[in-house]
Amino acid sequence: MSLVNSETPSQARLDQPLLDWTHRLTRLGTRFFTHLQPTPVAAPRWAARNETLRTELGWPATVFDDDHLQAFAGNALMLGSQPLATVYSGHQFGQWAGQLGDGRAIWLGEAQSAQGPQEIQLKGAGRTPYSRGGDGRAVLRSSIREYLCSEAMHGLGIPTTRALSLVASPEPVRREETESAAIVARVAPSFLRFGHFEHFAAIGDTDSLRTLADHAIAHHLPECHDRAAFWQGNVYAALLDVVQERTAQLLARWQAVGFCHGVMNTDNMSLLGLTIDYGPFQFMDAFNPGHICNHSDHQGRYAYGRQPNVAYWNIYCLAQSLAPLIDDKDMTLQVLEGYKALFPRYLGDAMRAKLGLVGDLAPESEREADWTLVEDLMQLMATEKVDFTLFWRQLSQAVVRQSQANAVTDANWSPVTDLVLDRPRLLAWLERYTNRAGQTHLDSMGHRMLRTNPKFVLRNHLAEVAIRQAKAGDFSEIDTLYNLLQSPFDEHPGFEAYADLPPDWADQLEISCSS
């Protein structure tokens, strides 16, 4: 397979069609995007190729051959792709930011796959009309974090965009310091954001707003047609309803694993309820509801404990954008009430599952009692600043041990109680928990908990080690972490150190929006 017109690499096309392209987004017209070419980078090389995802999508192995390295670097185009950047607007840190758009993400197109049509983007492939003076590049540091975290979230069962490949280049990129460039190829059924709708609402283009909403419903959220029956046949109210429900589910899952997004602007919110735009994210180490993972978030707007309310604020912004289509203020407000009811229920179910307490049909009194157990434990964890991931995993293992003993003993709880200073307080809570569970149910509970509470998450210091090695030209740690994170509930003998408490130097890591 050769390159055509290699003297102008940004215009070059690989000479055989590899994917079955559909490009439904381009049928909307150029009000929604700008056609453009990626900007080539110097001396690209593969840093990571996600064979698991490629196989799941049913795409040929030749996607990852060395000729296609040029395509995933933005130096050539796969035959049939139609690169473009979409326009959107949004609120950033609670303030209207006006027109934004794909400033460093270039949409290659939409291709058929074993999982349905998938859109492909190159993040870091150069300047677009929406770069707002930026260079359109991504650095190796942030690209490694996105590649690994999107796959880590998928391994945890949390809706997310996926990472297909990571390409590194020695081309210099200036951030706080000069770093090297990288390009992530990311995949999703759709990259539509709340901000896409805010854009057309803000400029008063109701026709385009309707066209975009109809596209989203027809191709990505067809369940809106059935949901419309609850809203007097109003399919746009149903669209808002489906989006708020998906967002409530997503936020509950984030909170349950201690995930902090770091920059929940409306333009970083997926219409499909996917985790999108991995920047200054963090899986918490020491549990702190007020934890701020984004060094640029000086007011703590996006602190861990505030994420659910920020999500509601963002949905409200989306509702304002859809208001011309819904055309019923009271109905719109009624739809918004759904989040207030659904999020607590989804979070309650997620936290009950972490305790091995399952059953969607549990009576409300039982749910309330279980939530009291959860709240009391979380308050203790916050007071003790206990490591979030380690605590839940140790608790899961201790429940298994207790189920195998003739009687519940304090000794079997010791790996959990050793994590706190106030052992009597935790032991008293564990007695309440055991009484709620019942000895005969501990075995099944413990094994469920081991499939709910991960052993491995992408802690900041683990990503940092991979980044430092990659800067030295060694990408092997990326593959090591990927293998652990795609099956985070497994034990992975020999890799226990990756599940240990973070080293002291991890507290000094600062992650900002430039990440």
Side-chain angles (χ1 to χ4, degrees):
M1 202 171 285
S2 60
L3 292 178
V4 180
N5 193 20
S6 59
E7 292 184 0
T8 56
S10 66
Q11 305 295 323
R13 286 184 179 269
L14 292 166
D15 61 6
Q16 295 181 22
L18 194 65
L19 300 177
D20 180 10
W21 300 97
T22 56
H23 303 312
R24 293 176 298 184
L25 183 65
T26 62
R27 301 171 197 167
L28 300 183
T30 54
R31 291 172 295 177
F32 300 88
F33 55 81
T34 301
H35 284 294
L36 76 167
Q37 302 292 327
T39 305
V41 292
R45 60 180 293 196
W46 293 114
R49 285 169 277 191
N50 191 340
E51 285 287 355
T52 300
L53 176 57
R54 181 197 64 76
T55 302
E56 290 173 0
L57 295 174
W59 289 347
T62 48
V63 163
F64 287 150
D65 64 20
D66 285 340
D67 280 329
H68 284 91
L69 167 63
Q70 299 300 325
F72 287 110
N75 291 5
L77 297 178
M78 284 184 277
L79 192 64
S81 62
Q82 295 184 10
L84 55 85
T86 66
V87 62
Y88 51 81
S89 297
H91 288 82
Q92 298 189 329
F93 289 90
Q95 303 297 317
W96 178 245
Q99 180 178 303
L100 302 167
D102 292 325
R104 56 176 175 173
I106 295 178
W107 190 88
L108 294 184
E110 181 185 51
Q112 295 288 357
S113 82
Q115 297 182 355
Q118 299 289 315
E119 297 180 3
I120 308 172
Q121 282 188 346
L122 297 184
K123 185 173 181 179
R127 188 177 285 112
T128 80
Y130 315 112
S131 296
R132 296 190 298 169
D135 57 20
R137 291 297 185 194
V139 297
L140 181 62
R141 163 177 51 93
S142 62
S143 300
I144 289 172
R145 284 171 54 84
E146 172 144 0
Y147 179 88
L148 287 174
C149 196
S150 57
E151 292 308 296
M153 294 294 267
H154 178 72
L156 291 167
I158 298 174
T160 180
T161 59
R162 301 287 301 276
L164 183 63
S165 68
L166 173 62
V167 173
S169 164
E171 188 160 311
V173 178
R174 182 68 186 177
R175 293 295 181 262
E176 286 87 353
E177 59 184 14
T178 300
E179 302 184 56
S180 60
I183 300 96
V184 175
R186 57 185 188 179
V187 175
S190 172
F191 288 97
L192 284 176
R193 307 153 182 268
F194 290 11
H196 283 101
F197 295 84
E198 287 187 286
H199 175 74
F200 293 105
I203 63 176
D205 187 350
T206 303
D207 289 342
S208 294
L209 181 68
R210 189 182 308 276
T211 296
L212 186 62
D214 290 345
H215 166 85
I217 293 167
H219 299 301
H220 304 298
L221 298 170
E223 62 266 37
C224 293
H225 292 295
D226 291 334
R227 187 71 64 91
F230 292 98
W231 302 106
Q232 302 173 28
N234 192 321
V235 72
Y236 303 113
L239 173 61
L240 179 61
D241 192 15
V242 169
V243 173
Q244 64 87 14
E245 182 172 6
R246 287 188 175 214
T247 305
Q249 291 172 330
L250 179 68
L251 267 291
R253 290 168 174 169
W254 282 5
Q255 300 301 105
V257 296
F259 176 76
C260 309
H261 185 278
V263 59
M264 289 177 61
N265 297 329
T266 57
D267 57 295
N268 292 339
M269 297 293 291
S270 160
L271 194 74
L272 303 192
L274 308 175
T275 313
I276 193 171
D277 288 345
Y278 292 92
F281 68 82
Q282 184 181 8
F283 288 89
M284 274 192 300
D285 294 322
F287 179 63
N288 173 13
H291 180 70
I292 304 166
C293 68
N294 182 354
H295 186 60
S296 305
D297 185 6
H298 305 298
Q299 303 302 316
R301 175 179 176 83
Y302 298 135
Y304 166 80
R306 293 180 174 177
Q307 291 185 144
N309 286 339
V310 169
Y312 177 77
W313 191 91
N314 291 341
I315 294 167
Y316 190 91
C317 291
L318 176 63
Q320 290 180 311
S321 300
L322 293 176
L325 305 183
I326 299 173
D327 196 26
D328 187 326
K329 181 179 179 181
D330 290 340
M331 182 180 290
T332 301
L333 293 174
Q334 189 178 352
V335 174
L336 287 170
E337 290 298 309
Y339 182 90
K340 297 178 183 179
L342 287 173
F343 171 74
R345 189 171 187 88
Y346 289 139
L347 180 61
D349 286 346
M351 300 308 295
R352 290 174 70 238
K354 291 178 77 67
L355 290 172
L357 306 173
V358 296
D360 293 340
L361 301 179
E364 199 60 36
S365 59
E366 185 175 289
R367 286 173 175 273
E368 290 176 1
D370 289 347
W371 183 247
T372 299
L373 267 180
V374 170
E375 283 189 314
D376 291 348
L377 177 60
M378 300 294 273
Q379 289 172 9
L380 172 58
M381 292 174 66
T383 300
E384 296 276 353
K385 293 182 170 57
V386 67
D387 187 270
F388 189 85
T389 303
L390 185 61
F391 180 90
W392 285 104
R393 188 69 178 187
Q394 294 282 56
L395 179 63
S396 306
Q397 293 170 332
V399 170
V400 172
R401 282 192 299 272
Q402 293 286 19
S403 71
Q404 296 169 347
N406 292 327
V408 173
T409 66
D410 289 355
N412 283 334
W413 292 127
S414 60
V416 183
T417 56
D418 287 348
L419 297 173
V420 303
L421 294 175
D422 194 345
R423 292 182 77 253
R425 182 179 174 186
L426 180 54
L427 283 170
W429 181 89
L430 288 167
E431 183 176 3
R432 291 166 54 203
Y433 169 54
T434 305
N435 289 337
R436 160 67 178 92
Q439 175 71 21
T440 57
H441 298 295
L442 287 178
D443 182 60
S444 59
M445 286 174 54
H447 286 95
R448 282 198 302 267
M449 292 168 70
L450 289 172
R451 305 307 303 171
T452 304
N453 297 309
K455 181 175 181 178
F456 302 96
V457 294
L458 184 62
R459 296 176 183 266
N460 270 355
H461 75 278
L462 297 178
E464 181 65 20
V465 171
I467 290 165
R468 292 175 183 178
Q469 292 187 15
K471 286 180 176 179
D474 179 3
F475 302 125
S476 61
E477 190 66 9
I478 298 174
D479 289 335
T480 297
L481 286 173
Y482 169 78
N483 290 331
L484 295 174
L485 295 168
Q486 70 172 344
S487 51
F489 304 102
D490 295 347
E491 287 297 323
H492 294 286
F495 291 90
E496 287 77 12
Y498 289 81
D500 284 348
L501 290 168
D504 292 340
W505 57 264
D507 288 338
Q508 307 306 312
L509 294 174
E510 292 183 349
I511 310 297
S512 67
C513 288
S514 67
S515 300

